[in-house]
Amino acid sequence: MKQSAQLPVMEHFYTLQGEGKHSGRAAYFIRLAGCDVGCVWCDVKESWDISPDQYLTIKQLLTEVAQSNTDFVVITGGEPTMHNLKELTNALHTKGYEIAIETAGVHRLNGHIDWYCFSPKKFKAPIEEAYALANELKVVIAHPSDFEWAEQHAAKVQSSCVLYLQTEWEKQERFLPQIIDYIKRNKKWKISLQTHKYMQIP
Ligand code: SF4
């Protein structure tokens, strides 16, 4: 078993956050390996499996983050709540970084996060904790029935939680107009675009 001060990292890079509440903001991304959700339309399937050579120490990660100009770190996956994030998040907070997580909310969060982006998936049910922690609910629309499914989740989050609808990238021609129309009729929602894909940045 790996020491707790190591985490499996698929990739890490400095870029702009492309989607959701922090869209457009410079952010250092730490994409942890491992996912047990299994979305059929997943665009990072290579993150699902963990290999022994992917482990980095918290110290190594902090060194990489420090070499960027960032004040904001996004922990994503994969499914990052599969891992104990206490040491990483404590270390990042000690250095003054603001931290966001992107999660399907399927495991208890082990760590201290400033912004919890909850993106539920149909392929594995979220746990109740995710609704209480969510600062941002981001629902990917890949089927007409997903609008009703999004409302079911929106009914369970805190009133302060920001609500986003985002089209599945491959189906945007079909669903972008539907999302725009839906939001005009249901103004509590906002649209989230994967602007990093338009900009062709990671
Ligand atoms: Fe892919 Fe994320 Fe779904 Fe996991 S939760 S399968 S990483 S889209």
Side-chain angles (χ1 to χ4, degrees):
M1 190 166 157
K2 295 285 172 190
Q3 296 168 14
S4 59
Q6 295 185 337
L7 286 166
V9 180
M10 184 193 135
E11 58 182 353
H12 54 94
F13 49 90
Y14 189 36
T15 186
L16 305 188
Q17 167 61 290
E19 53 192 64
K21 174 71 175 174
H22 292 283
S23 178
R25 181 173 177 186
Y28 200 93
F29 271 69
I30 298 175
R31 184 184 303 286
L32 297 178
C35 184
D36 57 358
V37 180
C39 307
V40 291
W41 42 258
C42 177
D43 58 2
V44 279
K45 288 195 169 86
E46 60 277 24
S47 73
W48 291 8
D49 295 321
I50 298 172
S51 69
D53 61 356
Q54 287 179 308
Y55 281 84
L56 294 179
T57 65
I58 305 303
K59 196 174 167 194
Q60 283 173 312
L61 279 170
L62 252 73
T63 302
E64 297 289 343
V65 173
Q67 284 170 2
S68 72
N69 186 41
T70 199
D71 57 2
F72 182 47
V73 175
V74 178
I75 302 174
T76 188
E79 176 42 61
T81 57
M82 284 176 68
H83 308 286
N84 185 338
L85 303 175
K86 271 189 189 147
E87 289 190 48
L88 174 62
T89 55
N90 285 345
L92 288 168
H93 275 151
T94 299
K95 297 286 183 187
Y97 296 107
E98 190 181 339
I99 310 168
I101 192 167
E102 297 180 334
T103 173
V106 291
H107 300 286
R108 277 197 61 231
L109 175 65
N110 252 313
H112 304 286
I113 300 290
D114 303 299
W115 188 262
Y116 188 102
C117 173
F118 172 36
S119 185
K121 305 294 183 332
K122 282 184 169 169
F123 307 92
K124 190 176 175 93
I127 61 172
E128 289 303 310
E129 178 191 85
Y131 297 95
L133 293 181
N135 300 109
E136 168 180 353
L137 172 69
K138 187 173 64 187
V139 180
V140 175
I141 302 293
H143 186 272
S145 65
D146 290 342
F147 289 103
E148 172 57 31
W149 192 72
E151 293 292 354
Q152 290 169 19
H153 293 293
K156 294 176 70 177
V157 296
Q158 309 283 324
S159 57
S160 57
C161 180
V162 194
L163 306 178
Y164 286 103
L165 297 175
Q166 179 176 295
T167 177
E168 186 202 329
W169 180 252
E170 300 295 333
K171 295 183 179 172
Q172 60 173 317
E173 206 171 312
R174 178 178 176 196
F175 286 113
L176 204 50
Q178 290 188 32
I179 290 173
I180 293 167
D181 183 57
Y182 189 86
I183 293 174
K184 284 159 82 175
R185 288 184 283 114
N186 301 274
K187 297 187 291 293
K188 69 184 179 195
W189 293 96
K190 293 179 179 173
I191 197 163
S192 171
L193 298 173
Q194 292 182 291
T195 59
H196 54 295
K197 294 190 177 180
Y198 293 102
M199 292 184 280
Q200 299 183 334
I201 59 174

